[in-house]
Amino acid sequence: QVHLVESGGGSVQAGNSLTLSCSVSFYSYSSTCMGWFRQAPGKEREGVASLATGGGTTVYTDSVKGRFTISQNNPKRTLYLQMNSLKPEDTGMYYCATARGYCNEPNLSDSEYFYWGRGTQVTVSS
């Protein structure tokens, strides 16, 4: 069983930065896909950024390109999301997720992910 634990959320003013972390208990494939998703109140969950752990390739949703960076620290089995120039519309619960098996093409479809963390809240005020 894979366990994911997010941390690093908080309340900030627009324009500031936050870094989210996701600690993963283990993954046993040479490459799997990991992603960050968010859900604002009253809205559907959306994919924010994804990374393939084998090659390090990444993909971002358009609204965060140039502001957010997803990265990994393999020895520590930790996934990060560096969020700069935060906007009020970035507010939401942020979840870390990982695919179940081998994955080498990052994607933002939540149906591709099997293991999920419980989330960390990010609130951006104007």
Side-chain angles (χ1 to χ4, degrees):
Q1 184 73 16
V2 178
H3 295 283
L4 298 91
V5 180
E6 303 95 337
S7 61
S11 297
V12 297
Q13 290 191 323
N16 284 349
S17 300
L18 281 174
T19 300
L20 305 183
S21 299
C22 174
S23 176
V24 187
S25 57
F26 73 93
Y27 45 81
S28 58
Y29 293 88
S30 58
S31 180
T32 193
C33 291
M34 297 193 68
W36 287 98
F37 295 78
R38 66 186 179 190
Q39 187 167 21
K43 294 187 177 181
E44 292 187 356
R45 186 169 59 193
E46 66 166 337
V48 175
S50 173
L51 174 149
T53 61
T57 53
T58 58
V59 65
Y60 298 90
T61 192
D62 286 345
S63 63
V64 308
K65 286 179 181 177
R67 300 189 297 121
F68 290 12
T69 303
I70 187 172
S71 62
Q72 61 176 329
N73 183 325
N74 269 343
K76 294 184 178 181
R77 292 193 302 274
T78 304
L79 184 74
Y80 302 99
L81 185 68
Q82 174 69 42
M83 305 186 294
N84 298 327
S85 301
L86 283 161
K87 303 176 180 180
E89 51 264 42
D90 294 318
T91 294
M93 184 69 78
Y94 282 69
Y95 299 92
C96 172
T98 182
R100 189 172 190 175
Y102 181 83
C103 175
N104 202 32
E105 293 188 15
N107 68 88
L108 300 177
S109 172
D110 59 3
S111 63
E112 298 294 319
Y113 294 81
F114 188 81
Y115 300 103
W116 293 80
R118 294 187 175 184
T120 186
Q121 178 68 36
V122 172
T123 303
V124 185
S125 58
S126 57

